[in-house]
Amino acid sequence: MEYNLIAGSSPHIRSSESTPGIMRDVIIALLPAAAAAIYFFGIRALLVILVTVLSCVASEYAATRIMKKSTTVGDYTAAVTGLLLAFNLPPSIPFWIAAIGGVFAVVVVKQLFGGLGHNFVNPALAARAFLMASWPVAMTTWTQPRVDAVSMATPLGVDAVSSATPLAMLKSGGLSSLPLPDLSSLFFGNVAGCLGETSALALLLGAAYLIARRVITLEIPVAFIATVALMTWIFGGHSLFTGYPLYHILAGGLMLGAFFMATDYTTSPVTFKGKIIMGIGCGLITSIIRLYGGYPEGVSYSILLMNLAAPLIDRYTIPRSFGGEKSNA
Amino acid sequence: MLKALKAFKGGVSLPHHKHTEHCKTVEMGIPKKVAIPMLQHIGAPCSPLVKKGDRVKAGQKIGDSDAFVSSPVHSSVSGTVTDVRPMLYPGGFEVVCVEIESDGLQEIFEGIAPPVGLEKKELIRAIRDSGLVGLGGAGFPTSIKLSPPPDKNLDILVVNGAECEPFITSDFREMLENPGGIIEGIRAIMDLTGVKKAFIGIESNKHEAIGLFSRRLKDVPDIDVVSLRTRYPQGGEKQLIYAVTGRRVPAGKLPSDVGVLVQNINTASFIASFLKTGMPLIKKKVTVDGSAVRNSMNVEVLIGTPLRDVFEFCGGFKEEPGKIIMGGPMMGVAQFSLDNSVVKHTNALLAFGRKDAELQKESVCIRCGKCVNACPMELLPIYINACVNKGRFEETLKYDINNCIECGSCSYVCPAKRHLVQSIRYGKAELRKMASAKK
Ligand code: SF4
Ligand code: SF4
């Protein structure tokens, strides 16, 4: 009997990993932070998340249909973008602004540049920057966690009690009338800030999951956080070496940025050295903005800037191959 | 037992599927017909020494070549030559084959006698005439490796018992079934080459083999067992040498350039048996396994036996085979036809059902970097793939494309199921074409 044999070149087996599988892992890893956001900022946080995720997924579907590409909604990458975008918005953000952010992230930043794997900056962060430029007030109106019973009671309202983020307070050098939140509040997330960035604990849980599942490697986050720690320790105080690095690590979007945004596959280098450079670059820019810039927070701009440099970094960090004579960079 | 000195970077951990590790090797017996290809090695093909109608005996030389890099072939049966013609070869192209109908008597060729009282040079010549090639998979003529040019100073012999490919257990079985022969063969290689130190590298998951050789070699100071990390491709020549000796074989160079001689387990034991009997290479230990095979087992097969007969001997197929692989699933070659023959370097025959055989669809690269982390040669498969796909072959040289050992680790891990090593092979071939066009 003759059989119809499939030829094809080796390897004849493949691992069970897949793009949707990896994205599912990223979503799972973001769930603790989502839960923390809902716990601290109430049902409104959940609604913001739903709005951005829906807007991203719908944009992805529509864009791929219009551009006549096979739809890529099934790979969950749009959902991940939606989640990350929500995490980068203040809890009181008007829903329509959040929705525009999702459309911008997926249509303008991702699909117009060729879709998955081709965008050169992180879609969620680019959308955040875009919203920041367009609606600066809405984007910097902060809600005090838990105490804001109003937003709990009227989930659809946009009546946030103005507050200040810990970094903004730190930046104003204690001149602010509000007392700085203590470290444990920062660690657990009981502070004002963007939805997903407040709870270092929840983010670390998710990060540990990603590392255990080998979705991300440690080079970028470690280099990023270490650089911020070093810089803020040296230059963050009134004189050299009197800064408050732990505060800078736990406050603001550093944890979220270092583990979940700077490690974005498409927009970060793939070489070992490249990843270290990416991390250090992000750390330097973040510290400079935080310490000397006009904004209290610099994580997202630092990542966006380094995103632009990523292809170049890869090109100049081609490793020397095993037994190879020279590095070819 | 020693621990490996170094761990190569990258690599992948694979499912082992060593279902046949406890299957004692079974002799398959004499097939009705064999087809013996004139090319079963790296180098020049042989010219047939027999013609249609000739009677031949087992062990009789039926093909040879004057080329320096080549290896003679022998009849594996006694019987009558029924045809000499080009046939499909396991590599997927046509090669002249001598087809012999066996008479079932398995008469041994008269000229066969143990090579005794020979000088080293003559002994190496005798090993050449035995048709021995590296039995680990590549099929490079062993005699050439045993007589390196005088400017290469060999000081370490590494015997490759890593067997890092899933499913295959033919080396492992040989280690358990014939440890004495392997050690004798190692001794013979050391005598022939003047190498003073030998290591047997075995992956750490093969405890039985490590234990057995450690006991046997307890009082032998110049042969050591090295327990290797169980990680693919630990049996890759460069990775093995690095693990055992700490030496890196430079890109484009040979193990002999760093003073190392590598031999496979079954190659060593063949040398021992050849020295005792003078019988050339006419049979092979083969692991038969895979989801479509009824009885997974280790079989001793006469070279030239059609694959069809081997599978039938193993109870046939329990489901329709969609893919037949000669060798392991990572580096083996898919077979077009069950009429192909078992050749000298066949160490496994795997048959998979349709479902396991389907090609997975490629999707876009998500730049996850997993291929980079998996590459044992520390290359950037993602960028070589991108250059090849754009037809920018010259640019792949910047990424050291020719240093790729085609282990397939990158393709294995890629979540987008990209055909990375496949494109690298294509890129290498295009570069070769461009180079020869320039000449
Ligand atoms: S493993 Fe595949 S998806 Fe990941 S970087 Fe390499 S080629 Fe791209
Ligand atoms: S096939 Fe080549 S590029 Fe791919 S992992 Fe192996 S050595 Fe590296």
Side-chain angles (χ1 to χ4, degrees), chain B residues 262-274:
Chain B
V262 179
Q263 294 291 351
N264 168 266
I265 286 287
N266 271 293
T267 311
S269 62
F270 173 82
I271 289 179
S273 91
F274 173 70

PDB file of all heavy atoms in Angstrom, chain B residues 262-274:
ATOM      1  N   VAL B 262      36.252  13.341  17.701  1.00  0.00           N
ATOM      2  CA  VAL B 262      34.950  12.915  18.205  1.00  0.00           C
ATOM      3  C   VAL B 262      34.520  11.657  17.464  1.00  0.00           C
ATOM      4  O   VAL B 262      34.609  11.590  16.231  1.00  0.00           O
ATOM      5  CB  VAL B 262      33.881  14.014  18.016  1.00  0.00           C
ATOM      6  CG1 VAL B 262      32.527  13.536  18.535  1.00  0.00           C
ATOM      7  CG2 VAL B 262      34.283  15.287  18.735  1.00  0.00           C
ATOM      8  N   GLN B 263      34.107  10.668  18.201  1.00  0.00           N
ATOM      9  CA  GLN B 263      33.563   9.459  17.579  1.00  0.00           C
ATOM     10  C   GLN B 263      32.262   9.092  18.261  1.00  0.00           C
ATOM     11  O   GLN B 263      32.088   9.330  19.452  1.00  0.00           O
ATOM     12  CB  GLN B 263      34.556   8.287  17.712  1.00  0.00           C
ATOM     13  CG  GLN B 263      35.852   8.460  16.945  1.00  0.00           C
ATOM     14  CD  GLN B 263      35.687   8.405  15.435  1.00  0.00           C
ATOM     15  OE1 GLN B 263      34.620   8.079  14.922  1.00  0.00           O
ATOM     16  NE2 GLN B 263      36.750   8.735  14.716  1.00  0.00           N
ATOM     17  N   ASN B 264      31.383   8.483  17.505  1.00  0.00           N
ATOM     18  CA  ASN B 264      30.101   8.060  18.039  1.00  0.00           C
ATOM     19  C   ASN B 264      30.260   6.704  18.756  1.00  0.00           C
ATOM     20  O   ASN B 264      31.180   5.949  18.473  1.00  0.00           O
ATOM     21  CB  ASN B 264      29.128   7.963  16.852  1.00  0.00           C
ATOM     22  CG  ASN B 264      27.850   7.269  17.215  1.00  0.00           C
ATOM     23  OD1 ASN B 264      27.715   6.076  17.019  1.00  0.00           O
ATOM     24  ND2 ASN B 264      26.918   8.011  17.763  1.00  0.00           N
ATOM     25  N   ILE B 265      29.353   6.441  19.685  1.00  0.00           N
ATOM     26  CA  ILE B 265      29.355   5.179  20.442  1.00  0.00           C
ATOM     27  C   ILE B 265      29.397   3.967  19.508  1.00  0.00           C
ATOM     28  O   ILE B 265      30.227   3.060  19.654  1.00  0.00           O
ATOM     29  CB  ILE B 265      28.074   5.111  21.310  1.00  0.00           C
ATOM     30  CG1 ILE B 265      28.185   6.058  22.495  1.00  0.00           C
ATOM     31  CG2 ILE B 265      27.764   3.696  21.749  1.00  0.00           C
ATOM     32  CD1 ILE B 265      29.117   5.598  23.570  1.00  0.00           C
ATOM     33  N   ASN B 266      28.487   3.954  18.538  1.00  0.00           N
ATOM     34  CA  ASN B 266      28.398   2.788  17.661  1.00  0.00           C
ATOM     35  C   ASN B 266      29.606   2.693  16.721  1.00  0.00           C
ATOM     36  O   ASN B 266      29.969   1.603  16.295  1.00  0.00           O
ATOM     37  CB  ASN B 266      27.109   2.835  16.844  1.00  0.00           C
ATOM     38  CG  ASN B 266      25.965   2.149  17.580  1.00  0.00           C
ATOM     39  OD1 ASN B 266      26.002   0.938  17.769  1.00  0.00           O
ATOM     40  ND2 ASN B 266      24.996   2.916  18.031  1.00  0.00           N
ATOM     41  N   THR B 267      30.228   3.823  16.424  1.00  0.00           N
ATOM     42  CA  THR B 267      31.442   3.795  15.609  1.00  0.00           C
ATOM     43  C   THR B 267      32.554   3.089  16.382  1.00  0.00           C
ATOM     44  O   THR B 267      33.274   2.247  15.843  1.00  0.00           O
ATOM     45  CB  THR B 267      31.881   5.225  15.252  1.00  0.00           C
ATOM     46  OG1 THR B 267      30.752   5.944  14.746  1.00  0.00           O
ATOM     47  CG2 THR B 267      32.972   5.222  14.206  1.00  0.00           C
ATOM     48  N   ALA B 268      32.674   3.446  17.675  1.00  0.00           N
ATOM     49  CA  ALA B 268      33.713   2.829  18.507  1.00  0.00           C
ATOM     50  C   ALA B 268      33.495   1.319  18.600  1.00  0.00           C
ATOM     51  O   ALA B 268      34.428   0.531  18.413  1.00  0.00           O
ATOM     52  CB  ALA B 268      33.713   3.464  19.896  1.00  0.00           C
ATOM     53  N   SER B 269      32.267   0.903  18.859  1.00  0.00           N
ATOM     54  CA  SER B 269      32.066  -0.537  19.038  1.00  0.00           C
ATOM     55  C   SER B 269      32.216  -1.273  17.708  1.00  0.00           C
ATOM     56  O   SER B 269      32.639  -2.428  17.681  1.00  0.00           O
ATOM     57  CB  SER B 269      30.716  -0.831  19.690  1.00  0.00           C
ATOM     58  OG  SER B 269      29.677  -0.390  18.865  1.00  0.00           O
ATOM     59  N   PHE B 270      31.914  -0.599  16.600  1.00  0.00           N
ATOM     60  CA  PHE B 270      32.128  -1.275  15.316  1.00  0.00           C
ATOM     61  C   PHE B 270      33.618  -1.542  15.102  1.00  0.00           C
ATOM     62  O   PHE B 270      34.006  -2.616  14.631  1.00  0.00           O
ATOM     63  CB  PHE B 270      31.588  -0.452  14.133  1.00  0.00           C
ATOM     64  CG  PHE B 270      31.952  -1.080  12.800  1.00  0.00           C
ATOM     65  CD1 PHE B 270      31.192  -2.127  12.291  1.00  0.00           C
ATOM     66  CD2 PHE B 270      33.086  -0.686  12.112  1.00  0.00           C
ATOM     67  CE1 PHE B 270      31.557  -2.748  11.098  1.00  0.00           C
ATOM     68  CE2 PHE B 270      33.456  -1.305  10.914  1.00  0.00           C
ATOM     69  CZ  PHE B 270      32.691  -2.339  10.412  1.00  0.00           C
ATOM     70  N   ILE B 271      34.452  -0.569  15.437  1.00  0.00           N
ATOM     71  CA  ILE B 271      35.896  -0.764  15.239  1.00  0.00           C
ATOM     72  C   ILE B 271      36.356  -1.992  16.014  1.00  0.00           C
ATOM     73  O   ILE B 271      37.100  -2.836  15.495  1.00  0.00           O
ATOM     74  CB  ILE B 271      36.673   0.503  15.661  1.00  0.00           C
ATOM     75  CG1 ILE B 271      36.411   1.615  14.634  1.00  0.00           C
ATOM     76  CG2 ILE B 271      38.167   0.218  15.769  1.00  0.00           C
ATOM     77  CD1 ILE B 271      37.088   2.928  14.922  1.00  0.00           C
ATOM     78  N   ALA B 272      35.869  -2.147  17.245  1.00  0.00           N
ATOM     79  CA  ALA B 272      36.265  -3.310  18.038  1.00  0.00           C
ATOM     80  C   ALA B 272      35.835  -4.602  17.353  1.00  0.00           C
ATOM     81  O   ALA B 272      36.617  -5.558  17.246  1.00  0.00           O
ATOM     82  CB  ALA B 272      35.662  -3.219  19.438  1.00  0.00           C
ATOM     83  N   SER B 273      34.614  -4.643  16.856  1.00  0.00           N
ATOM     84  CA  SER B 273      34.148  -5.895  16.248  1.00  0.00           C
ATOM     85  C   SER B 273      34.859  -6.146  14.918  1.00  0.00           C
ATOM     86  O   SER B 273      35.162  -7.280  14.569  1.00  0.00           O
ATOM     87  CB  SER B 273      32.628  -5.885  16.088  1.00  0.00           C
ATOM     88  OG  SER B 273      32.266  -5.364  14.835  1.00  0.00           O
ATOM     89  N   PHE B 274      35.182  -5.078  14.213  1.00  0.00           N
ATOM     90  CA  PHE B 274      35.893  -5.249  12.947  1.00  0.00           C
ATOM     91  C   PHE B 274      37.290  -5.827  13.192  1.00  0.00           C
ATOM     92  O   PHE B 274      37.750  -6.711  12.472  1.00  0.00           O
ATOM     93  CB  PHE B 274      35.996  -3.905  12.212  1.00  0.00           C
ATOM     94  CG  PHE B 274      36.861  -3.953  10.991  1.00  0.00           C
ATOM     95  CD1 PHE B 274      36.435  -4.642   9.853  1.00  0.00           C
ATOM     96  CD2 PHE B 274      38.108  -3.346  10.965  1.00  0.00           C
ATOM     97  CE1 PHE B 274      37.233  -4.713   8.723  1.00  0.00           C
ATOM     98  CE2 PHE B 274      38.920  -3.407   9.843  1.00  0.00           C
ATOM     99  CZ  PHE B 274      38.482  -4.094   8.717  1.00  0.00           C
TER     100      PHE B 274
END
